[in-house]
Amino acid sequence: MKRIAILGSTGSIGTQALEVIEAHPENGVVELLTAHNNANLLIEQAIKFSPNSVVISNEDHYLKVKDSLAHLPIKVYAGADAIVQCVCSDEIDLVLTAQVGFSGLRPTIAAIQAGKTIALANKETLVVAGDYISSLCLKHNVKIIPVDSEHSAIFQCLVGEYSNPIEKIYLTASGGPFRGKTKSELALVTKAQALKHPNWTMGAKITIDSASLMNKALEIIEAKWLFGLEANQIDVIVHPQSIIHSIVQFNDGSMKAQMGLPDMKLPIHYAFTYPERISSSFPRFDFLKFPQLSFETPDKQTFRSLEMAYYCLQEGGNMACILNAANEVANAAFLNDKIKFLQIFDLVEGTLERATFIAKPTINNYYESDAEAREIANNLIK
Ligand code: NDP
Ligand code: MG
């Protein structure tokens, strides 16, 4: 029985992970749950799943969580440092990193240092510090099992291929709610439109990233580190139905694709059961409901994020860390009605141009770089 920690249990991935465990208790037992603001849901989850510990990272909610769980043998902690400490507990085998954004970095590092298997949803961790995380995993002999659907697809296609050379991979992209829109149309789009993803129901940050294709940009960088690829081995193909989750092309020209309904419960379940496949009750794909699967090239001129990802890979160093920080600021500013949709691209580009480049960053450089890029991006908004 795997003993599982879910960081960000109150979010879209976190709640789906708990649904997976509830539907398939043989997947493992819940050992640790963490949340930031949603104290009510965390309390509800703790009562239902009886973890050993819970952490609420926003300390303002500590007393509420503590008092509500006082009658149960559940330890309650508060603050970001508590997540970092609890995730290292000997009672945990696998850590699902489902916090959003840069906040996922520190606990993921701690979990790797403690030798935990990582089920990685928090792609920002690899975008910010992919080289550091990769060498840390090697040092501590830790496996990262991707949860992001595209990367889970690639990972599944590579099972049994050992070191057979990959020629390239194709990350599929739905194209988001604004696929096919021109620049002048995009100038007018609203937050409500951006939050309506055609195929996936996800947290607000990643939904906005999907609309700007910044999510795919982050995934290009994530793929580089997960699979040890060069930038020219990673391509993006728009596939509006989101049935083919991604494709590997091997050096003999053969291609393997992984398919399924767009439902994050599948890659979460796979990450929990890997290397086994355990029977699941999730809905099955019906070919006749999707008689046509189609493909398009992404509009890289309008959605400049993809080129920014390739630029960051080419420059290396802390460039992707700057990209991530600027995007987190731009994304939040758009959600708070401080900037228009197209300004997301301007803001990220402006920050990439201004922030200090460091060719060989240390982990501390990444934290400094993140802070500097946020300051630059925030000043560009004023
Ligand atoms: P949500 O916004 O739905 O959930 C985020 C979770 O992180 C919540 O539990 C939230 O707590 C917690 N959280 C937010 N801020 C902080 C913080 N500063 N410190 C600690 N915890 C925090 O996000 P998603 O579930 O959509 O995404 C989570 C991660 O998974 C992201 O990195 C995303 O890119 C990735 N991912 C998501 C997919 C999806 O389908 N949703 C698909 C592929 C990857 P609270 O709600 O209590 O405030
Ligand atoms: Mg994805």
Side-chain angles (χ1 to χ4, degrees), residues 80-81 84 101-111 113 122 124-125 128-129 132-133 136 318 321-322 324-325 356 358 361-375:
D81 289 346
V84 170
F102 189 80
S103 76
L105 179 65
R106 226 159 49 95
T108 308
I109 290 174
Q113 285 168 334
N122 181 260
E124 292 92 342
T125 291
V128 170
Y132 177 79
I133 296 289
L136 205 60
N318 63 335
C321 172
I322 299 167
N324 180 70
T356 312
I358 306 170
T362 62
I363 186 63
N364 284 337
N365 290 148
Y366 284 124
Y367 289 110
E368 290 155 9
S369 197
D370 174 80
E372 187 203 40
R374 280 171 200 271
E375 198 184 331

Side-chain angles (χ1 to χ4, degrees), residues 221-234:
I221 301 167
E222 182 186 13
K224 179 213 158 57
W225 295 112
L226 280 172
F227 307 113
L229 301 169
E230 297 301 324
N232 63 7
Q233 291 177 289
I234 307 169

Side-chain angles (χ1 to χ4, degrees), residues 53 69 131 158 227 235 310 337 359:
S53 320
L69 299 177
D131 58 344
L158 292 176
F227 307 113
D235 215 336
Y310 288 112
D337 299 314

Side-chain angles (χ1 to χ4, degrees), residues 7-16 34-39 42 56-58 80 83 97-101 103-104 120-124 147-150 200-207 209 215 218-219 222 264:
L7 309 185
S9 64
T10 48
S12 161
I13 292 288
T15 50
Q16 291 182 86
T34 81
H36 190 54
N37 274 322
N38 198 342
L42 181 66
I56 184 92
S57 46
N58 182 341
I83 300 182
T97 69
Q99 285 180 211
V100 67
S103 76
L120 187 99
N122 181 260
K123 64 191 87 186
E124 292 92 342
V147 169
D148 210 348
S149 57
E150 297 78 0
W200 301 93
T201 310
M202 310 179 283
K205 193 252 177 190
I206 185 173
T207 305
D209 284 348
N215 181 49
L218 303 180
E219 290 183 355
E222 182 186 13
M264 285 308 296

Side-chain angles (χ1 to χ4, degrees), residues 247-258:
I247 301 144
V248 181
Q249 181 176 309
F250 292 94
N251 65 344
D252 59 357
S254 178
M255 297 168 104
K256 276 191 185 176
Q258 188 264 342

